[in-house]
Amino acid sequence: MKAILARDGRAALAEIPVPEIGAGELLLAVDVCGLCGTDVMKLDTRLVGAVLGHELCGTVAKVGAGAPFKTGDRVVVSHHVPCLQCHYCRKDQQSMCRQFKATNIDPGGFAEYVRIPALHARHAAFCLPPGLDPVAASQTEPLACVLRNIKRINVSEGDTIGVVGLGAMGQMTGQLLKLFGAAAAGLDLDTARVASFSPWGAATTNAAEFSEMGRKLSDGRGFDAVIFSAGTPKLIEQSLSWLRDGGTLNVFASFHPDPVLQLDLNQVYHRELSILSSYSPSLSDLKESFELIATKRFNPLSLSPLSFPLSSFDDAVQAVKFRRTLKSVLRPR
């Protein structure tokens, strides 16, 4: 079968054997797999041994003994599974579980077929209802990341939230904030992405105007929280002044190549500001996100994804990096 593999920090199309499966496992014929910003980051940093592709939906081609699905089921599955027993899991920090980061699908979602381990089949896979678009379903895991992040800042109806970086995750954040009843404002240098944010809230390319939006939406207080789904350390430093007293600075992205910033800790202390981050979802977030998509309360297709064959993987990456699309998806078959 054909698969995109990362070898020596580079991604290339390879011909490899179809994975063998064992008890409780699934062989999934991949219908679609979305390209995540994390995949792009792994390529840019030339991460050796990276597993690429985790936003996948496919059709069960083969089942192992005792597997919870049957041949022909269309399934969406996530790539990491926590142990549910350790200190981190008991603290509702499943993405910090050591097993969580050690688990994955084989060989990655950018392949014609993928082996789904028994743990994933049991805990992190969901059967699509009739009529659900597989591209929409494939966005269950990224939506779950957004959902957990919004829960982390304890968003309530009537809150005013700033979203910096209006790529795919920023757009999904805006849409979900609207479902939560919050007023959102967006900031991005790309005018097309600013325009795309308009169904979810006001947006601008100007930081000073963004700050003023927060004050107007909150009757002068400032943002309850500012979410960084992209940006620069310098912009994060500036963002403290955009927050209301008691507000939250939320880091929802990794920063490359320069992750270092300076913060005015006196502001943090005297104004009781909170600084937090959110990395990846829990199993309950995955289930809730799948239900939001399956019931069509949330529409990932608003990202207007572009489809590519595996042979055009580099084009799919470039389309995202050069902002020709908010989301690239690969169709292996």
Side-chain angles (χ1 to χ4, degrees):
M1 71 171 189
K2 292 179 173 59
I4 298 291
L5 301 181
R7 291 172 173 165
D8 299 322
R10 298 181 183 274
L13 186 63
E15 189 75 31
I16 61 173
V18 174
E20 297 289 337
I21 64 168
E25 298 187 336
L26 306 173
L27 182 67
L28 202 66
V30 179
D31 296 323
V32 62
C33 185
L35 179 72
C36 177
T38 303
D39 294 315
V40 177
M41 180 272 292
K42 289 175 181 178
L43 295 171
D44 285 346
T45 58
R46 300 188 65 177
L47 182 65
V48 176
V51 176
L52 300 175
H54 57 266
E55 301 176 1
L56 72 157
C57 179
T59 303
V60 177
K62 188 176 178 181
V63 297
F69 297 95
K70 64 182 185 299
T71 301
D73 283 346
R74 183 165 265 177
V75 172
V76 63
V77 61
S78 188
H79 56 321
H80 297 318
V81 182
C83 73
L84 302 176
Q85 298 175 342
C86 70
H87 181 79
Y88 300 99
C89 289
R90 292 196 301 271
K91 290 289 188 179
D92 193 28
Q93 295 176 319
Q94 291 179 12
S95 59
M96 297 297 105
C97 169
R98 299 308 183 247
Q99 176 178 285
F100 181 89
K101 295 185 180 184
T103 53
N104 218 314
I105 55 178
D106 173 29
F110 301 133
E112 292 182 292
Y113 292 92
V114 170
R115 180 180 66 86
I116 307 301
L119 277 174
H120 295 69
R122 190 180 316 126
H123 295 296
F126 309 94
C127 193
L128 274 63
L132 181 60
D133 188 297
V135 175
S138 74
Q139 296 307 291
T140 293
E141 190 272 344
L143 177 58
C145 291
V146 172
L147 177 63
R148 173 166 173 75
N149 188 52
I150 287 177
K151 288 179 177 178
R152 289 272 286 155
I153 60 175
N154 197 28
V155 169
S156 301
E157 186 172 356
D159 283 354
T160 300
I161 310 297
V163 183
V164 180
L166 303 182
M169 298 302 271
Q171 300 286 339
M172 294 176 86
T173 297
Q175 187 176 168
L176 198 55
L177 285 170
K178 187 170 183 177
L179 280 181
F180 273 68
L187 176 65
D188 198 290
L189 294 176
D190 189 317
T191 56
R193 294 186 174 188
V194 165
S196 296
F197 196 77
S198 61
W200 328 125
T204 179
T205 60
N206 183 277
E209 185 178 350
F210 176 70
S211 176
E212 186 58 27
M213 284 177 176
R215 298 195 180 282
K216 286 182 178 177
L217 289 170
S218 64
D219 295 327
R221 293 186 302 273
F223 290 112
D224 293 287
V226 174
I227 297 170
F228 277 84
S229 67
T232 63
K234 196 68 180 175
L235 202 58
I236 290 182
E237 294 169 21
Q238 185 180 348
S239 70
L240 295 188
S241 65
W242 305 339
L243 293 167
R244 67 163 173 83
D245 291 345
T248 301
L249 168 60
N250 177 272
V251 181
F252 188 42
S254 59
F255 287 77
H256 299 278
D258 179 17
V260 180
L261 74 157
Q262 292 182 320
L263 283 180
D264 182 346
L265 293 181
N266 284 334
Q267 275 204 68
V268 174
Y269 171 66
H270 289 291
R271 298 177 56 212
E272 289 194 349
L273 302 178
S274 297
I275 302 171
L276 56 80
S277 64
S278 183
Y279 169 67
S280 200
S282 68
L283 295 178
S284 62
D285 297 321
L286 286 169
K287 181 178 180 181
E288 186 175 346
S289 296
F290 177 73
E291 290 171 352
L292 284 170
I293 293 172
T295 57
K296 300 185 178 178
R297 286 176 286 165
F298 186 95
N299 178 24
L301 299 182
S302 66
L303 298 175
S304 300
L306 292 182
S307 294
F308 299 83
L310 284 184
S311 58
S312 298
F313 180 76
D314 288 344
D315 294 335
V317 173
Q318 295 303 309
V320 170
K321 290 183 71 171
F322 290 96
R323 297 185 169 223
R324 293 193 290 270
T325 184
L326 288 164
K327 174 64 64 172
S328 289
V329 296
L330 281 296
R331 292 185 182 272
R333 296 178 300 118

